[in-house]
Amino acid sequence: MHRLALLPVMSLALVCLASGCADDGSPTDTNGDTQGDEAGPTDTAGDEVVGEDESAESSGDTESTSGTESTDTESTGETESATETESETESETDTGEEAGTVSFVAFGDQGEGNDAQYAVAAAAEVICEERGCQFALLLGDNFYDVGVDAPDDPQFIDKFEMPYADLDMPFYITLGNHDYGQTSAEWWRGQPQLDYALANPKWVFPKEWFTFSEVAGSTTVDIFAFDSSQLMWDRNYDEQADWLSNATANSTATWKISFAHHPYISNGAHGNAGCYEGFPAVPVVSGGDVKSFMDDYVCGTMDAYISGHDHNRQIFKTPVCNTYFFLAGASAKTSDLEHHYPNFLCDDENPDVWEDDTREGFLYVSITGNEMTVAMYDLEGVLDYEQVIVK
């Protein structure tokens, strides 16, 4: 099992370089693992939350790419163009069961409560009405700048309940570095977000790492949420590794998708895991433990990984380590794509198929049978890019 020996005390300046800092916080150590009994998704043994629904089906023409098939389309038209790539037919299994559709949206770094967050939410509402959505993912940094203090913190209203009031579906949660306070290591700040789930079933957060399932006809999707912010500090590394290894080994779903806050690869300012900020091998800052975790438990095991942290939108050429990577960290603000690589410290190159750092937006995913459609929309609901992936 992996373990990085950290210095007893890490200077605040070093942490700020990795994740950015804001105001105060007083660390204590807590960990919650319960989910409320209200209506909605429920927490079952093994930290699994199970959901089931059906929606409109979609598919697309394909061409071969590295052992998989995909089609890329690009549009600058209005939102109605989003449906033009959808097929009118449903796929069937060998037993004749129709493959329903599992669809969702993903918002990253959204916790500002600003006009852009509200605009992105409104755009997602329109797209979900047109194309169908069963749930949403929040990719971390749910509350800028230093997380929340208690489950009744007014930020839950301003930065979650009000922006997404008209998206009537469960939101599955992971935590980002800003959710853990000024130092990104005030672990007690995770507990209020766990406790809030007991009062609001729309906020689904049974533990810092968990899995849930969605089934629609013969379409089966397992989704795995883990805490990359803790991995940055080598906190609960082995616990998360054991959990994810066992969970994926027991999964029989056609599609396995994971999400967390920090990217594996990125052309943004933070860059690639193991060389975050362009500094390899620096404890905590470089994200070496995030890279090791991803190498061992995500690459080649997951069909896709969705993250934020960099405040832009990116889709990478596939497969990268036999997994598809999507970055959707511009759901409330944007930051420049910097393309650190290659340089004399980090010689990685991240070939993307589409990226943007000028407009806020979100990721839309729709899975029908053995086809997964991924689409990037901006804050006005304009379809920027769409791709169909076939297993």
Side-chain angles (χ1 to χ4, degrees), residues 1 3 8 43 78 102-103 115 141 168 181 187 209-210 215 241 243 267 279 286 299 362 371 375 377:
M1 292 184 285
R3 183 68 60 184
D43 184 20
E78 298 303 321
V102 173
S103 301
D115 290 345
D141 284 359
D168 186 17
W187 306 120
W209 50 92
F210 63 95
V215 179
W243 158 77
N267 290 324
F279 295 106
S286 67
C299 284
F362 64 97
E371 291 187 355
Y377 287 90

Side-chain angles (χ1 to χ4, degrees), residues 167-237:
L167 285 170
D168 186 17
M169 56 189 179
F171 281 63
Y172 295 91
I173 311 302
T174 193
L175 299 182
N177 51 287
H178 281 278
D179 294 309
Y180 285 118
Q182 182 178 8
T183 66
S184 302
E186 297 165 20
W187 306 120
W188 67 273
R189 288 188 177 275
Q191 190 63 43
Q193 296 197 42
L194 289 162
D195 292 341
Y196 178 70
L198 302 175
N200 187 348
K202 186 172 178 176
W203 181 273
V204 185
F205 191 35
K207 193 175 180 179
E208 295 95 328
W209 50 92
F210 63 95
T211 184
F212 67 96
S213 301
E214 286 286 339
V215 179
S218 64
T219 301
T220 57
V221 182
D222 282 351
I223 299 185
F224 307 82
F226 60 89
D227 192 326
S228 60
S229 296
Q230 292 196 38
L231 295 179
M232 287 286 291
W233 291 84
D234 191 30
R235 174 183 167 85
N236 288 322
Y237 185 105

Side-chain angles (χ1 to χ4, degrees), residues 237-250:
Y237 185 105
D238 293 336
E239 291 83 351
Q240 293 197 67
D242 291 344
W243 158 77
L244 188 55
S245 179
N246 291 330
T248 52
N250 292 325

